[in-house]
Amino acid sequence: MAPISKECDFLVIGGGSGGLACARRASGQWGAKTIAVESNRLGGTCVNVGCVPKKVTWNAAAIAETLHEAASYGFQIKQTAPFDFKTFKHKRDDYIKRLNGIYERNLEKDHVEYLHGRAQLLSKNEVEVVLHNGSKEKIRAKKILLATGGHPNIPKIPGAEMGITSDGFFDLETLPKRVALVGAGYIAVEMAGMFHHLGSETHLFIRHETFLRPFDPMIQDTIVKEYERQGIHIHRNSSQSKIEKKDDKWMTMHYTDKTSPDGNTLDIDCLLWAIGRSPEVEDLGLDKAGVEQNDKGHIIADEYQNTSVENIYSLGDVCGKIELTPVAIAAGRQLANRLFGGEQYKDAKLDYTNIPSVVFAHPEVGSIGLTEQEAREQFGGDNVKVYKTDFTAMYYAMMPPEAKAPTAYKLVCQGTEEKVVGLHILGSGSAEMLQGFGVAVKMGARKRDFDSCVAIHPTSAEELVTL
């Protein structure tokens, strides 16, 4: 066992968005002696294989979509060469590498010591880190944060290893000709839209009738119909039994779905599993420190990010609460404030209610608060009033009927005051739009507050203040 080589006030295990935000606040603002440990690239899932490269790819897909629609506005655009996916991919990689460097420089600026290695708990105050060069360091810390994130799941069926996950999506050097995506959440839906608009024949396999099932039914029904209108193949009530190698580039998926209950096959050159994520805890040594986990392996943490062990804390995807980057960042900053900011921050914590979220589908989806069903269950049907609209955005006025994408909005209001407890939007620009309306919902806005705001015309957003 390596002797104690370092001591600190605060040891952060995990260099993703939440861990780094907490480490930087603890050291840079409050002066705590802080060490951060990361075994992969700084920035975690979001920066390296998540939100950031995903949004860059979504931008490329949106440009492809616009080029296709340009003819309706009188532009005669002749494509002289196919989309150069390889060049795009390498430029995206370079951008991510620049971000990795920025993250490391930010740690230096805030006087956080950074160790590139794999950490394992030895006790409630001691950690062993195997550095990338193979050497070991033993660290004693007064407080420890576990922010190790998660990793994608792969099913246990024959040949499943021939597929990739969302991590592998960003390693693709060429655009697939025919891709199958399995899953019904954010990742599957976003990547299906990107593949389709960049030119791949796209098949989306879901277990039920709709995808994005935690969202309001208005969102589910509208986006499924829109994906089918665009030409994405939706395989409902599906399951996969095995994957077989066909040749050096192609494989065969064996499956059942609603239209082929007795079984069918599909030849594909790319298979992407998006069937959920598991916490990154396999070799973290939680048992040695006595840190409790739930039945899915997530670290159990309370509203203050306390685990079952005094002076060990946890946040982000490894806790499985709300797996969004800004949530982890906000929770990390609040935790650092509480632990090191003095008496004025002794009760600091993140409010996990009314957190806005967006799906970068085609079109975008945004949601904050309760779905209609959740509101009726919580407050009773007679205490809930719903305002909703669906329409065609002005952008599509120049296009033929078969090319027009939908826009749909819903406000869920509660009580005689008609407090807005849920806001759900689908359509172009929804992501940017929701950030502003999210503030209103977080502040407790009522329907009449929405009504009192003069509309901005002509916009889609004005429909939310004229319902």
Side-chain angles (χ1 to χ4, degrees), residues 377-440:
E377 290 174 354
Q378 183 170 330
F379 302 114
D382 294 340
N383 292 315
V384 174
K385 188 169 183 180
V386 172
Y387 298 85
K388 59 184 178 180
T389 183
D390 59 84
F391 58 96
T392 301
M394 186 179 289
Y395 174 77
Y396 299 102
M398 306 289 284
M399 300 178 191
E402 65 274 11
K404 294 182 178 182
T407 304
Y409 298 158
K410 177 187 282 190
L411 291 182
V412 181
C413 303
Q414 179 259 326
T416 56
E417 287 287 297
E418 293 194 325
K419 180 180 178 182
V420 179
V421 296
L423 185 150
H424 311 281
I425 56 178
L426 177 150
S428 180
S430 291
E432 300 291 349
M433 197 185 305
L434 183 63
Q435 188 69 78
F437 281 108
V439 174

Side-chain angles (χ1 to χ4, degrees), residues 196-217:
H196 171 71
H197 287 289
L198 291 176
S200 297
E201 179 186 320
T202 303
H203 294 254
L204 179 57
F205 290 80
I206 60 178
R207 288 188 298 171
H208 301 279
E209 287 287 327
T210 62
F211 46 72
L212 298 180
R213 294 178 68 239
F215 284 76
D216 190 271

